[in-house]
Amino acid sequence: MTGPFRTPYPGYDVLDKWDSPSYDDATREVLRARTTPPPRRFLSEARFAVLAALCDTVIPQPRARPVQIAPFLNAALHDDRGTGTRFAVMPPDRDAWPLGLDAIDAEAKAHHDGTGFADLARPERTLVLKEIDAERLRAPDAWQDMPAQKFFRALVLKQIAQFYYSQPAAMSEIGYGGPASPRGYVRLNAQGIDPWEAPYGQWKETDA
Amino acid sequence: MTRPIGRRAAEAETDPRAVNGCAPDVFSRDGTVPMREFPESEEVDFVIVGAGCGGSVLAAKLAEAGMSVVLFDAGPFFRPLSDFASDEYEQEKLYWLDPRVSDGDDPIELGANNSGQAVGGSTVHFQMVSLRFRPEWFKSRTKLGYARDWPVDWQEMWKYYAEVENALKISGPIRYPWGPKRGRYPYRAHEVNEAGLVLARGAEALGVDWAPTPLCTVSAPRGKSPPCAYRGMCKIGCSVNAKQSMLITYVPRAIRAGAEVRDLAMVGRVETGQDGRATGVSYHRGGEWRHQKARNVVLAGYSIETPRLMLNSATSRHPQGLGNSNGMVGRNLMVHSNHAVWGEFEDEIRWYKGPPSMATCEHWNYVDDDPTKDFDGGYSFMSQGPLPGDFAGTLTGATGMFGDELLTAMGKYNRMAGLKIVGETMPAPDNRVTLADESDPLGLPRARVTYAFSDNDKRLQRHSLDFMSKMLGAAGGRNLLETSSTAHLMGGCAMGDDPETSVTDDMGRSWDIDNLWICDGSLMPTAGGVNPAMTILANAARIADRIVAARNG
């Protein structure tokens, strides 16, 4: 097991560049709008709670103001945003998500004497998800022929991870440059970094 | 199609912008340029469906030759300077997000991987790698013993590569290490970023050539385009207009020459008359179905939408769909294997700076007699620079990792480098586009895409992963991770010399219907081991000249 993640770039925040040439109006507008999560409109309250717990398990965020993920995934389902692909072995996204959230909840209950996924602590949730990813199912009927690992990786992990790592807080913790328009970068090789980039990371010996 | 994906300029996704005799000025924040318009009742010379690599070039060249042209695109007409944000989630508005049903033994991912939905098509979000086919690939059956021949001579294609490279001011090296001599690239090569230098170090360690990648973004000012700012966000749209996409090159050129562009116009059907010939198209725009008459209809919607439209246009006279009496429409769809090796490095590479693929190696496209080469076809590979969201999707898809394991792996983002192939796959008739038994919001049957790799494809993938692992290790990479994916689309409506085994002749004209044409990547009989954009562009420029010559002759 990996210990809790600690950023190699403490103190670096891509939002500090908000008023610099790294940001343009379009980016500021988009990011400003995202500070207000959309209302819950598609998933039921119970399913939304499972989704929120899922996001918290995939992306633990021990920070004062965690990046909101679940409301945006829910809104994407409400808007039928799509991804361009529906694997034939999967139902359409708007059916797959409710089905999959119920199935994850059923797996949790099968593992933990009827306690639902959202009511488990993170370590227990993690174990339930690892079993699902390995297709070791305790509530196979709940999946109704939907391939569990495919749902977990192609929809759950991918959409949660892609959304999270598009947000400024995630960019900051990995030392990514963040928004860069109209100003991009000048120093392209390892000999130097631009003053508006993250300073070099603090790497532990074990990382190097 | 109807719902806005983006927050910024959402109206561009719901209300057509090329209207009332004006089109967006793509070099302005909110300006317009004059645009000629044609009445729907007027039979225009050419209706072209799709404003990407194929349709934009054809529209510009036909309009410049004096023909009346209406160019349709299902997507919005963006102004990059004001509409594009530095934000992966927002910029998904550039992709074809309405689902295609994907099945087969190796179902492919669509959308961001390979399908644009905007005026300018996939060039709005492509990563600008601008390579030519190896000459022998145009006769791969005759010269190399696999797949099929193109109905085109390589020297003719070579001439058109030069034409489109000049039109797009490709930035490339003075001396390119592989293939026959080519002229100098119009613009100097970009400085190679650290991610590219990793490839260079690995290549030198293994004793193979490498080169700065010829790229479709300018290295010096060009007209209203500034030089590349090295933002590294090419895959989500260039917000400074350095990238020479169709949106800011051939499309404006087409409009200047008198072509009309209709954005947010989804063509649902090619109409045919009593005699079986095309008479125009039915399209959905501004909330209603409309009709445009035309003497010729050209399909340029790429390898999924072009066959889908032909199949969706079936009539009693064309019961299998248009141009499909031999059943070849939609068949021999190809992808590129897009397998990759990723590794951690001692230094911070910061691969996010600059275009993602600044160095390339085409060694395995040009070597035929190496004892380890146990496959037909070839592959190139390039250095990588995925954006964080994109890379997180790659990691989770390949490993299933999440939680602190994922956060820790992503925490090494700045110390990662990778090599990824563009690997040729073999054409196979059962890899194909058909119609699904479900419909899109306009009521049009969706595409079903069926795909499986051949044994040869799998040998090529394995070979490439072994070679790239060796190279990345030699460059200092550790804890290597292999991933598999696909990119690009080719084929589906192959051109050829034989009406029994192809969909069109050598100039893209349907064997069945003499005023129905195809001009996009679906014509490609083979995939080659390089990114397809330059080949689609060059082929479109060639077809345009052939059409003009036939008309004048």
Side-chain angles (χ1 to χ4, degrees):
Chain A
M1 287 298 281
T2 322
F5 169 64
R6 288 183 47 194
T7 174
Y9 302 95
Y12 170 68
D13 188 345
V14 297
L15 291 174
D16 290 344
K17 298 188 248 186
W18 187 269
D19 293 317
S20 81
S22 291
Y23 280 66
D24 55 20
D25 289 343
T27 305
R28 279 188 285 251
E29 180 186 331
V30 165
L31 292 180
R32 202 179 283 124
R34 208 170 285 144
T35 58
T36 312
R40 181 179 62 77
R41 278 177 303 195
F42 180 77
L43 296 170
S44 68
E45 213 165 316
R47 284 177 178 147
F48 186 80
V50 176
L51 177 63
L54 204 45
C55 292
D56 179 69
T57 320
V58 173
I59 307 287
Q61 298 186 66
R63 51 166 67 95
R65 294 182 58 195
V67 173
Q68 297 290 305
I69 303 171
F72 291 94
L73 300 192
N74 192 16
L77 289 170
H78 175 267
D79 299 339
D80 202 6
R81 179 183 172 106
T83 60
T85 313
R86 176 169 76 77
F87 293 109
V89 294
M90 303 284 290
D93 285 5
R94 281 154 63 99
D95 298 327
W97 272 100
L99 174 65
L101 293 170
D102 288 351
I104 288 172
D105 203 40
E107 293 290 339
K109 286 174 174 160
H111 276 276
H112 294 280
D113 287 336
T115 307
F117 188 78
D119 294 323
L120 296 176
R122 196 184 290 135
E124 280 78 53
R125 282 187 254 134
T126 300
L127 290 177
V128 169
L129 295 183
K130 292 222 184 247
E131 293 292 292
I132 290 170
D133 188 49
E135 297 266 8
R136 287 189 294 264
L137 306 178
R138 292 209 187 170
D141 291 348
W143 294 89
Q144 298 177 23
D145 296 332
M146 181 166 75
Q149 190 201 57
K150 189 92 177 167
F151 172 71
F152 184 61
R153 290 194 184 188
L155 268 67
V156 172
L157 287 188
K158 186 166 186 179
Q159 293 188 16
I160 293 174
Q162 285 195 334
F163 184 81
Y164 175 68
Y165 281 103
S166 306
Q167 308 311 315
M171 296 173 182
S172 303
E173 74 182 17
I174 65 172
Y176 170 62
S181 179
R183 181 177 62 188
Y185 304 99
V186 178
R187 294 163 184 83
L188 299 185
N189 62 43
Q191 305 306 310
I193 50 177
D194 291 325
W196 53 93
E197 289 184 78
Y200 288 111
Q202 300 170 11
W203 302 99
K204 289 176 291 186
E205 281 303 305
T206 49
D207 295 328
Chain B
M1 234 168 284
T2 47
R3 72 223 183 280
I5 299 298
R7 158 89 194 189
R8 178 77 172 184
E11 79 288 351
E13 298 181 57
T14 52
D15 303 321
R17 279 178 164 178
V19 290
N20 302 325
C22 293
D25 174 1
V26 293
F27 288 100
S28 75
R29 306 187 68 78
D30 55 7
T32 58
V33 293
M35 179 184 76
R36 187 170 167 193
E37 287 180 310
F38 297 92
E40 290 176 320
S41 56
E42 181 182 326
E43 207 176 45
V44 294
D45 291 326
F46 282 87
V47 151
I48 301 174
V49 184
C53 282
S56 303
V57 172
L58 189 66
K61 293 190 69 160
L62 295 185
E64 284 164 356
M67 297 183 208
S68 53
V69 174
V70 180
L71 176 61
F72 289 82
D73 201 278
F77 203 145
F78 288 118
R79 292 183 188 90
L81 297 182
S82 52
D83 297 342
F84 290 177
S86 295
D87 187 278
E88 287 183 76
Y89 197 64
E90 166 77 9
Q91 292 301 116
E92 286 182 10
K93 63 189 178 188
L94 302 182
Y95 308 137
W96 192 289
L97 295 183
D98 193 59
R100 282 79 169 251
V101 179
S102 183
D103 69 2
D105 289 347
D106 302 291
I108 64 170
E109 208 167 318
L110 294 127
N113 255 17
N114 46 30
S115 310
Q117 192 179 78
V119 173
S122 299
T123 63
V124 180
H125 61 82
F126 80 154
Q127 302 188 59
M128 316 178 301
V129 174
S130 302
L131 304 180
R132 298 182 182 189
F133 255 42
R134 175 180 168 178
E136 289 85 346
W137 290 343
F138 294 105
K139 295 282 180 275
S140 58
R141 166 58 51 194
T142 308
K143 301 219 180 235
L144 300 168
Y146 70 87
R148 51 202 290 183
D149 289 350
W150 288 49
V152 183
D153 175 66
W154 78 269
Q155 278 161 315
E156 191 185 0
M157 285 297 288
W158 224 243
K159 189 181 98 185
Y160 285 102
Y161 279 123
E163 175 182 318
V164 296
E165 285 168 359
N166 190 47
L168 301 173
K169 300 300 177 207
I170 301 298
S171 302
I174 290 172
R175 183 189 153 273
Y176 195 70
W178 305 280
K181 255 194 152 74
R182 55 187 73 176
R184 285 179 70 148
Y185 283 99
Y187 273 41
R188 69 168 172 80
H190 293 271
E191 179 198 341
V192 175
N193 65 0
E194 191 64 27
L197 294 176
V198 167
L199 183 149
R201 282 194 289 274
E204 279 159 20
L206 267 53
V208 297
D209 283 326
W210 70 279
T213 310
L215 292 171
C216 191
T217 177
V218 285
S219 54
R222 180 208 187 181
K224 292 177 181 169
S225 286
C228 180
Y230 304 120
R231 302 171 56 238
M233 300 190 190
C234 323
K235 192 177 172 178
I236 60 170
C238 180
S239 62
V240 298
N241 276 339
K243 175 195 280 191
Q244 302 297 293
S245 69
M246 295 301 103
L247 174 62
I248 72 160
T249 57
Y250 279 99
V251 168
R253 207 172 123 178
I255 291 171
R256 269 197 309 276
E260 178 184 348
V261 175
R262 289 191 197 149
D263 57 334
L264 296 180
M266 176 70 183
V267 174
R269 195 178 166 81
V270 177
E271 300 296 349
T272 47
Q274 296 284 322
D275 58 0
R277 302 179 78 237
T279 59
V281 292
S282 292
Y283 67 103
H284 194 268
R285 193 187 197 208
E288 58 182 356
W289 284 101
R290 311 184 62 92
H291 183 77
Q292 174 67 50
K293 287 188 174 177
R295 292 188 191 87
N296 294 276
V297 173
V298 186
L299 307 183
Y302 208 10
S303 293
I304 310 294
E305 294 306 316
T306 288
R308 178 189 179 205
L309 183 51
M310 294 171 86
L311 298 174
N312 270 336
S313 300
T315 64
S316 54
R317 195 182 162 118
H318 301 288
Q320 301 193 85
L322 302 188
N324 195 27
S325 62
N326 61 11
M328 294 306 292
V329 168
R331 290 191 184 272
N332 295 301
L333 176 76
M334 293 164 285
V335 298
H336 279 132
S337 294
N338 210 210
H339 294 51
V341 179
W342 314 88
E344 300 166 25
F345 285 75
E346 179 91 29
D347 291 331
E348 294 196 6
I349 308 290
R350 305 211 177 198
W351 57 3
Y352 56 82
K353 295 190 278 186
S357 294
M358 300 195 83
T360 187
C361 175
E362 279 206 66
H363 180 77
W364 292 104
N365 276 338
Y366 286 86
V367 165
D368 295 319
D369 50 6
D370 186 289
T372 71
K373 186 172 184 287
D374 57 351
F375 55 89
D376 288 328
Y379 65 86
S380 55
F381 57 91
M382 293 91 194
S383 56
Q384 297 297 305
L387 294 174
D390 195 12
F391 188 55
T394 297
L395 278 184
T396 54
T399 66
M401 65 168 66
F402 62 93
D404 281 309
E405 195 184 356
L406 172 62
L407 299 181
T408 302
M410 282 300 294
K412 294 176 183 164
Y413 177 81
N414 277 352
R415 288 177 32 200
M416 301 297 295
L419 303 172
K420 190 187 258 194
I421 64 166
V422 171
E424 182 166 14
T425 65
M426 293 296 125
D430 290 341
N431 289 339
R432 61 188 298 207
V433 177
T434 53
L435 296 178
D437 46 18
E438 59 183 75
S439 298
D440 71 12
L442 297 178
L444 303 168
R446 286 192 165 122
R448 170 180 289 269
V449 180
T450 306
Y451 194 82
F453 289 121
S454 68
D455 289 341
N456 186 78
D457 301 337
K458 291 174 186 170
R459 286 197 299 275
L460 181 150
Q461 292 159 5
R462 191 62 255 158
H463 185 280
S464 72
L465 290 169
D466 291 344
F467 189 76
M468 291 189 297
S469 294
K470 217 186 295 175
M471 188 183 271
L472 209 53
R478 288 166 308 175
N479 295 337
L480 303 185
L481 172 71
E482 296 179 353
T483 61
S484 61
S485 181
T486 73
H488 312 139
L489 300 165
M490 285 77 41
C493 294
M495 56 180 180
D497 289 322
D498 179 358
E500 289 305 306
T501 57
S502 56
V503 177
T504 79
D505 67 9
D506 64 342
M507 57 191 292
R509 187 200 295 259
S510 158
W511 290 116
D512 291 352
I513 302 173
D514 71 355
N515 67 340
L516 178 69
W517 309 73
I518 296 171
C519 183
D520 62 21
S522 64
L523 290 176
M524 293 172 70
T526 58
V530 293
N531 310 52
M534 284 297 128
T535 302
I536 301 170
L537 290 160
N539 197 38
R542 182 186 67 84
I543 287 173
D545 280 1
R546 290 285 302 275
I547 290 175
V548 172
R551 183 180 164 112
N552 295 342

